[in-house]
Amino acid sequence: MKNLCLAALLLCATAVIAMPIASSARSMMPAEIQQLIGVDYRALKDSPTAQALKDKVMPDNLKELETALKGIGIDSDHDLDQLNFASFRTEKKGIQTIGVAQGSFSAKAVLKKMKIKKITGTKYGTAVIYPMDNGLVMTFLDDNTLAFGNSDSLHSALNTRDGKRPSMDSNSVMTDQMTAVDGAPLWSILDQQGTQAMMNSAMGDASKVGDYDSIKKRILASRYTMTFQSGINFDLSVQTADSMTAATLSTVLKGVMLYKKLNASPIEKTAIDASTVTSDSSTLQYHFKSDDQKFQSLMNSPLFAAVSH
């Protein structure tokens, strides 16, 4: 589950009271949403395992984001409460990505520092957009919330907020997925194309079997949550068109896991044994649970390296 595991392991949260996505953030999400991730950034401070994961697998673009935030006076380790990352599809510019950050920072304080540095903003509709490091731009949605991305992505998101293009609320499949997970410490939703690609990666060679191609077309969307309460808990739900598709996927995925177990290391075998795959009506369900010690050992295994890079 390369794409899925990477996203899940990058952004981890402990069992704290998590906030649902803010209305200001939700209003910027276009209908053509590919993936939306919500994470309680505060929880990173409270879990050694979460910190170890973040240090080991954090990609360069996330490091660049933290650097860009520091460049405008926002320290991700102290000032952030919640981050939402969204990727969405566009006809002319491909996949675009934006982020929305909420925290204890103040727009007035940040803008004051930017003024001292002689950083000025430009108007776009009703918003004022300011440059950040690494070619990113940002705008404040309110005193404690900012949206950021490259210029094209941020313009698209602002157009959505201002009613110039359809919002995610018009996409019933994705809003249903989000309703099921919003408010969890860490959650993500993925659209049909993204879920199909994720399942192809999970199935490996099994995805090349002729019958699987017809099954793949009946995969609709997916969602996951991850918490660190009483160890590590990861739950994935894949929505399909009917119960037969869900049951078939469950059977195939169980076979893939048994095959991978044949050449796995002892710690990897333990991880596979800690995974369960079932189907409930039209939904495939995958659950993984481990204690902190075993999971930190797994982070140093070839299996972890394979799914996180």
Side-chain angles (χ1 to χ4, degrees):
M1 292 187 175
K2 184 174 181 180
N3 294 337
L4 170 70
C5 292
L6 175 60
L9 297 175
L10 295 179
L11 301 171
C12 310
T14 61
V16 297
I17 299 175
M19 300 180 294
I21 184 172
S23 58
S24 58
R26 180 166 178 155
S27 69
M28 300 188 74
M29 306 303 166
E32 305 86 355
I33 196 82
Q34 177 196 44
Q35 184 174 29
L36 177 59
I37 297 173
V39 59
D40 189 331
Y41 220 78
R42 303 166 302 172
L44 292 174
K45 308 180 186 74
D46 301 325
S47 169
T49 302
Q51 288 290 349
L53 279 167
K54 180 174 179 290
D55 293 340
K56 191 173 185 65
V57 302
M58 185 171 68
D60 290 340
N61 59 353
L62 188 54
K63 293 176 183 177
E64 291 172 357
L65 165 63
E66 292 189 344
T67 299
L69 288 174
K70 286 182 179 179
I72 60 172
I74 298 175
D75 187 339
S76 60
D77 291 331
H78 302 98
D79 300 331
L80 293 186
D81 292 339
Q82 186 184 49
L83 281 174
N84 293 105
F85 297 94
S87 56
F88 52 94
R89 306 179 190 280
T90 63
E91 291 185 7
K92 297 182 179 180
K93 298 184 181 295
I95 300 295
Q96 295 184 326
T97 303
I98 63 160
V100 179
Q102 293 175 276
S104 58
F105 54 84
S106 164
K108 293 179 181 179
V110 172
L111 293 176
K112 183 177 181 180
K113 292 179 182 179
M114 296 177 78
K115 185 175 181 180
I116 292 174
K117 294 181 179 181
K118 297 183 179 180
I119 298 174
T120 57
T122 57
K123 289 280 290 184
Y124 183 82
T126 60
V128 180
I129 297 177
Y130 298 89
M132 301 173 73
D133 293 336
N134 302 316
L136 299 177
V137 295
M138 53 79 65
T139 187
F140 279 99
L141 306 180
D142 56 49
D143 193 47
N144 305 110
T145 308
L146 65 85
F148 56 89
N150 63 38
S151 293
D152 289 338
S153 298
L154 191 56
H155 290 172
S156 294
L158 288 169
N159 288 343
T160 302
R161 184 196 65 175
D162 295 340
K164 297 178 181 179
R165 59 182 296 170
S167 73
M168 188 180 67
D169 286 338
S170 65
N171 184 335
S172 60
V173 173
M174 295 300 275
T175 53
D176 286 347
Q177 295 299 309
M178 192 173 73
T179 298
V181 297
D182 191 15
L186 166 75
W187 58 266
S188 178
I189 58 175
L190 197 61
D191 75 346
Q192 184 175 36
Q193 266 185 267
T195 301
Q196 290 173 349
M198 182 234 352
M199 292 304 296
N200 283 354
S201 179
M203 295 299 181
D205 289 340
S207 67
K208 299 175 184 178
V209 177
D211 291 345
Y212 180 75
D213 192 55
S214 62
I215 295 171
K216 181 183 72 173
K217 296 176 182 178
R218 302 181 71 79
I219 297 173
L220 305 180
S222 61
R223 61 183 184 267
Y224 71 73
T225 60
M226 191 172 186
T227 69
F228 279 62
Q229 184 178 17
S230 301
I232 291 87
N233 290 272
F234 174 75
D235 288 282
L236 163 72
S237 296
V238 178
Q239 187 67 42
T240 71
D242 51 64
S243 58
M244 182 64 72
T245 302
T248 303
L249 280 175
S250 175
T251 300
V252 174
L253 188 54
K254 287 177 183 177
V256 170
M257 291 168 62
L258 287 174
Y259 177 75
K260 289 183 177 181
K261 189 176 177 180
L262 294 175
N263 298 310
S265 67
I267 187 63
E268 291 170 350
K269 289 180 180 178
T270 300
I272 293 172
D273 288 338
S275 302
T276 59
V277 179
T278 59
S279 64
D280 180 14
S281 185
S282 59
T283 303
L284 167 73
Q285 297 177 328
Y286 170 87
H287 174 72
F288 171 80
K289 181 176 176 62
S290 177
D291 61 40
D292 288 339
Q293 184 176 2
K294 289 179 181 177
F295 192 75
Q296 293 210 29
S297 297
L298 179 63
M299 282 194 293
N300 297 315
S301 72
L303 175 63
F304 182 86
V307 300
S308 61
H309 292 89

